[in-house]
Amino acid sequence: MEQQTGQACIICGQVKEEGIVIVSHFICEDCEAEMVRTEAEDAKYRFFIGRMKKIDLQKNA
């Protein structure tokens, strides 16, 4: 059985190895790049905001 070394992206759900971790939540480099290029007026912007709400920031950090 092959072992996966990547993490599941909170945006696309795919398991990938390269990306960033924000408060223990992984975002793959493909989604990160797409988010950076997306304009606020774009319909996909709201999709990204919805997915980013999964990141639970600690209030007393």
Side-chain angles (χ1 to χ4, degrees):
M1 182 177 268
E2 190 173 310
Q3 189 177 27
Q4 290 184 334
T5 59
Q7 297 180 58
C9 175
I10 65 166
I11 306 297
C12 67
Q14 296 182 15
V15 175
K16 297 193 180 176
E17 293 186 25
E18 300 294 324
I20 61 172
V21 176
I22 301 175
V23 191
S24 74
H25 293 279
F26 178 74
I27 299 173
C28 72
E29 64 182 2
D30 296 330
C31 289
E32 176 190 5
E34 189 174 356
M35 285 191 294
V36 170
R37 291 188 307 265
T38 302
E39 298 290 331
E41 298 81 26
D42 191 321
K44 190 121 188 184
Y45 184 80
R46 287 187 174 258
F47 168 78
F48 288 133
I49 294 298
R51 294 294 182 145
M52 293 290 291
K53 285 182 180 180
K54 291 182 178 181
I55 297 175
D56 183 27
L57 296 177
Q58 296 176 355
K59 295 181 181 181
N60 296 321

